[in-house]
Amino acid sequence: MRTWSEVRQELFTPEENRQSDLRVAVISELIKARQERGLSQRELEQLSGVRQPIISRIEAGAVSPQIDTLMKILEPLGKTLVIAPIND
């Protein structure tokens, strides 16, 4: 029986895997920041102006947010985006 990692390497290109890993990392950090602030998605909606169903879909990985939407969500969480070198 093969592991998911092995199957993933066969199905996707290295670039696709990197993009997926980055997306998962961003979503994970977003959820972590919200939870650390003790905020529900509904409370984050009130603070950010981004509707709760959209926040839910972003956190579930069902949609990729536009940068301006992500920035609206991150601000009340005390976070921002940073452009940094990729550590290989």
Side-chain angles (χ1 to χ4, degrees):
M1 180 149 217
R2 297 180 303 174
T3 66
W4 167 244
S5 181
E6 293 168 336
V7 172
R8 184 176 181 225
Q9 297 304 320
E10 290 177 23
L11 292 176
F12 304 106
T13 67
E15 178 64 23
E16 289 170 324
N17 283 323
R18 281 191 296 277
Q19 289 176 2
S20 176
D21 291 345
L22 179 58
R23 188 170 183 215
V24 168
V26 169
I27 292 169
S28 296
E29 287 299 317
L30 176 67
I31 294 168
K32 179 181 166 188
R34 181 179 60 77
Q35 291 174 339
E36 285 175 349
R37 293 273 176 154
L39 297 172
S40 67
Q41 290 178 349
R42 186 71 63 198
E43 291 167 323
L44 184 55
E45 171 187 41
Q46 293 169 349
L47 295 170
S48 69
V50 177
R51 293 181 42 236
Q52 182 273 329
I54 295 171
I55 294 170
S56 177
R57 287 193 290 265
I58 291 169
E59 289 188 2
V63 297
S64 293
Q66 292 185 7
I67 292 175
D68 61 334
T69 302
L70 191 55
M71 295 301 290
K72 287 178 186 177
I73 293 170
L74 289 172
E75 184 181 352
L77 298 174
K79 303 288 183 179
T80 191
L81 290 178
V82 175
I83 305 295
I86 297 174
N87 297 325
D88 288 329

